[in-house]
Amino acid sequence: MQFSSRLIEDAVNAFASLPGIGKKTALRLVLDLVQRPTEDSVQLAHAVARMRENIQHCITCGNLSDQTTCSICRDQRRDRSIICVVESIRDVMAIEETQQYRGVYHVLGGVISPIEGVGPADLNIDTLISRARDGEVEEVIMAISPTIEGDTTIFYLNKQLAEAEVQISSIARGVSFGGELEYADEVTLGRSIVARRKL
Amino acid sequence: MQFSSRLIEDAVNAFASLPGIGKKTALRLVLDLVQRPTEDSVQLAHAVARMRENIQHCITCGNLSDQTTCSICRDQRRDRSIICVVESIRDVMAIEETQQYRGVYHVLGGVISPIEGVGPADLNIDTLISRARDGEVEEVIMAISPTIEGDTTIFYLNKQLAEAEVQISSIARGVSFGGELEYADEVTLGRSIVARRKL
């Protein structure tokens, strides 16, 4: 691409560095911003910079948060005796959307995957073990995508949590095998939490 | 979507306001930025804000520019006796990519479209007429998408330019009818400029 403006070129390259956005799409986004009020671009810029500079991982559950502790862990109406273990913040959002769950979460930050070089030490597992041992927790629900890596992770966590006196359950199959949790429809995902089974 | 973080929500909404980007895609982009160094987000934010605050339309040709006059109009090696009339900056970029044209441009900012309420007064036409009359210009090439609106625009400009003593030509058909100029391949687009015909 030949740019007559360095400003446009820099903005296009910045957008094109995002996943799934090519140069043509990036140019379309930039030209759209040019045609809209300056305020829109400034707002986008501020939202991105402010988000990245202030976002943090909740020290309790690992969820992305505006503060040291996330809004779910801070919420006194949530049931702290149940922890729902998920891969990522997207899964937290998907489960919250079903409005079927009133416990708290634990975000692993991924699943164990020898092929991609992700081992237990790379995940937010140690804090989960200590949370499960603190006496307050009665149940740990595994809400992890039903893939080979997901099942491996559940198996590993199950062994690690054996000493903690907690009930371990897994969301009911209903989520199709090989599928990603975040794309399941609300009803299926909601029911699979209600109909969770003991491991 | 239920967000546990206001920062994430604001950034997702900002991205989702862009054309062709839905909430799920926006969330993917934001979570990608979270996993990358803070610098990347700051760079994106700065590039967008700086671009929008400093970009301007070239006073001569209407092209987007970092300065009052764009880099093409400033370039002393370009042939100022030929003006290539295009709809948008994307067409300028597409033609520059062919490396078949050494004249200058005139960016209309769209085409005449009664259905979308775009009349001649909404386009950058007056400056084209005065440029064509300044004596230096010998030829005006219409490089406008071969659609009904494009042909209407060419017809209108042809009439307006009748008094100016300039040759008016149009890029050769070769660009398929109903197609958008920016998606034509380089060879077709390059040849259609070389093989332009008199109107």
Side-chain angles (χ1 to χ4, degrees), chain B residues 141-144 169-173 175 181 189 192-193 196:
Chain B
I141 307 173
M142 302 291 172
I144 293 174
S169 56
S170 153
I171 55 169
R173 282 285 150 91
V175 181
L181 211 72
L189 195 56
S192 71
I193 291 195
R196 62 188 181 267

Side-chain angles (χ1 to χ4, degrees), chain A residues 87-135:
Chain A
E87 289 170 50
S88 77
I89 180 184
R90 279 183 230 173
D91 299 330
V92 172
M93 290 174 65
I95 292 172
E96 284 299 285
E97 212 113 318
T98 71
Q99 301 188 327
Q100 296 281 335
Y101 181 66
R102 298 304 300 162
V104 291
Y105 293 92
H106 195 87
V107 181
L108 293 178
V111 282
I112 297 171
S113 171
I115 294 170
E116 292 185 21
V118 180
D122 302 312
L123 303 175
N124 188 21
I125 289 178
D126 289 348
T127 47
L128 173 63
I129 309 300
S130 47
R131 281 179 84 187
R133 282 179 179 161
D134 77 353

Side-chain angles (χ1 to χ4, degrees), chain B residues 108-130:
Chain B
L108 293 177
V111 281
I112 297 171
S113 170
I115 294 170
E116 292 185 20
V118 180
D122 302 312
L123 304 175
N124 188 22
I125 289 178
D126 289 347
T127 47
L128 173 62
I129 309 299
S130 47

Side-chain angles (χ1 to χ4, degrees), chain A residues 48-173:
Chain A
V48 168
R50 201 173 50 224
M51 181 277 294
R52 189 59 190 85
E53 279 163 355
N54 298 307
I55 201 75
Q56 42 194 309
H57 288 281
C58 170
I59 49 162
T60 306
C61 74
N63 193 6
L64 288 177
S65 172
D66 299 355
Q67 299 175 38
T68 337
T69 308
C70 78
S71 58
I72 294 174
C73 287
R74 282 201 312 271
D75 189 343
Q76 291 301 326
R77 292 162 302 177
R78 310 286 304 215
D79 184 352
R80 276 145 224 282
S81 68
I82 313 181
I83 295 176
C84 182
V85 180
V86 294
E87 289 170 50
S88 77
I89 180 184
R90 279 183 230 173
D91 299 330
V92 172
M93 290 174 65
I95 292 172
E96 284 299 285
E97 212 113 318
T98 71
Q99 301 188 327
Q100 296 281 335
Y101 181 66
R102 298 304 300 162
V104 291
Y105 293 92
H106 195 87
V107 181
L108 293 178
V111 282
I112 297 171
S113 171
I115 294 170
E116 292 185 21
V118 180
D122 302 312
L123 303 175
N124 188 21
I125 289 178
D126 289 348
T127 47
L128 173 63
I129 309 300
S130 47
R131 281 179 84 187
R133 282 179 179 161
D134 77 353
E136 199 183 9
V137 178
E138 289 167 16
E139 183 176 0
V140 174
I141 308 173
M142 303 290 172
I144 294 174
S145 293
T147 56
I148 293 170
E149 289 84 2
D151 284 344
T152 307
T153 309
I154 291 173
F155 182 78
Y156 178 85
L157 291 177
N158 205 18
K159 254 183 29 184
Q160 294 292 310
L161 291 169
E163 281 176 36
E165 294 194 346
V166 291
Q167 178 76 259
I168 301 174
S169 56
S170 152
I171 55 169
R173 283 285 150 92

